[in-house]
Amino acid sequence: SGAPSFRVEQIREKMRTGNTRKRLRSERSICSCKSPRLGRHASLRCFDFYELDVWTEIAKFLDGKSLVKLAVTCRWFHGVIMQDSVWKLACLSHLQVPAPDRVEFKWIQLYASATNGSHSYSFHEKEKHLDWMRVGAFFIDSPSVILSQRLTLPLKIMKREQLRTMLGSNGACLLSGLKTGIWMADLHLVRCPICKLDTCVVKGEAAKAASAAMLDVKHITDRPTADVFNLKLWAGRPDDFQPKAMITFHAVAVSTNLQANQAGLLSKFYVMSAGAGGEIVSIRISQQLL
């Protein structure tokens, strides 16, 4: 009578041992370090980490260097980052200018020209070129600007005829026919003389500083434009001879304190137009000690 009960206990022990082994095998498979795989007929969309709208939104907050690094990671990111809308936001954020109505180049090309120095003016006589700095970008909203060699212009509204007379008496001029849109401003330092004159025939009082400004006439009374003429905000102290610059949405100005001299300052305005009778696309203001 005891034998059957012993056999029953053996069978139960084998069943408990088998169940334990099965649990161990199943636990080991779950703890495997291998990534879970989708079934043959499962949809890939449910396991896709590359959402176009999400990464496009993220790209809007990156600078150009970060965008390039992300674009070279894989083909998918390259397609996302190379969208013109992404580089438009990066360009406008970097240049801190309002969006123009239209541009004639791709935004990535505009961003490159604004950061790699390719937009900079180059001199024919490179041995005279000492150094240059990128001041920044500003926006020309109207085809008329004021060019000035002084930063003491009155900001009173006048008629066009009165404005020309006032500007002429303050060493400035009114220039029309400009191409509207984003403009880049650079400051260059060269050895004198930069012109082809045999002798300098104009003499004047000692020049304390070399200054120049370019202002959009349409925004001449804007508060940021008025800050350009407040030298206390941005110009250097009398003993600081490093060039200083001030740029706003619609104006740019530079000022460099000069060491003791017994000469005046000769200023010249040069323009470059897009063909005969075309819009003005470049302006150069040169200043030379006499």
Side-chain angles (χ1 to χ4, degrees), residues 49-69:
F49 290 113
Y50 302 107
E51 294 293 341
L52 178 61
D53 295 339
V54 174
W55 280 103
T56 302
E57 189 66 25
I58 294 174
K60 295 177 182 180
F61 297 93
L62 302 179
D63 58 6
K65 186 177 181 180
S66 301
L67 288 173
V68 172
K69 288 183 178 180

Side-chain angles (χ1 to χ4, degrees), residues 10-160:
Q10 285 182 332
I11 294 173
R12 290 178 178 176
E13 183 66 24
K14 288 182 179 180
M15 292 178 64
R16 286 196 297 269
T17 304
N19 292 335
T20 302
R21 290 176 180 176
K22 287 182 180 180
R23 286 198 302 271
L24 291 175
R25 283 198 299 268
S26 62
E27 288 175 358
R28 290 194 187 101
S29 63
I30 292 176
C31 295
S32 175
C33 61
K34 295 182 180 180
S35 300
R37 296 186 178 183
L38 294 176
R40 180 179 299 179
H41 302 290
S43 173
L44 295 177
R45 293 293 300 173
C46 65
F47 202 67
D48 188 4
F49 290 113
Y50 302 107
E51 294 293 341
L52 178 61
D53 295 339
V54 174
W55 280 103
T56 302
E57 189 66 25
I58 294 174
K60 295 177 182 180
F61 297 93
L62 302 179
D63 58 6
K65 186 177 181 180
S66 301
L67 288 173
V68 172
K69 288 183 178 180
L70 185 59
V72 298
T73 55
C74 66
R75 291 183 179 179
W76 191 89
F77 275 119
H78 183 271
V80 174
I81 301 304
M82 293 307 293
Q83 295 183 57
D84 207 40
S85 59
V86 172
W87 285 98
K88 176 182 179 180
L89 292 174
C91 195
L92 296 177
S93 176
H94 181 87
L95 300 179
Q96 296 183 353
V97 293
D101 295 333
R102 62 182 179 85
V103 294
E104 298 180 0
F105 301 93
K106 291 185 177 180
W107 282 101
I108 188 173
Q109 295 174 331
L110 293 176
Y111 189 94
S113 67
T115 56
N116 63 8
S118 61
H119 192 273
S120 176
Y121 177 85
S122 79
F123 290 87
H124 295 291
E125 299 175 294
K126 295 184 179 181
E127 65 278 2
K128 293 183 179 180
H129 190 244
L130 300 177
D131 199 3
W132 76 281
M133 61 177 286
R134 171 61 47 84
V135 176
F138 61 108
F139 192 83
I140 296 297
D141 197 21
S142 66
S144 298
V145 297
I146 293 176
L147 305 178
S148 177
Q149 62 176 344
R150 301 176 185 174
L151 299 178
T152 56
L153 294 178
L155 299 180
K156 184 179 179 180
I157 295 295
M158 297 182 179
K159 295 182 179 180
R160 183 60 61 92

Side-chain angles (χ1 to χ4, degrees), residues 6 16 24 43 46 76 107 131 140 147 156-157 159 167 173 176-177 189 214 218 237 244 247 267 278 280 285:
F6 176 75
R16 286 196 297 269
L24 291 175
S43 173
C46 65
W76 191 89
W107 282 101
D131 199 3
I140 296 297
L147 305 178
K156 184 179 179 180
I157 295 295
K159 295 182 179 180
L167 293 175
C173 69
S176 301
L189 179 64
M214 181 175 173
K218 183 178 179 180
R237 296 181 179 180
K244 307 297 181 183
I247 195 162
S267 299
I280 296 174
I285 302 176

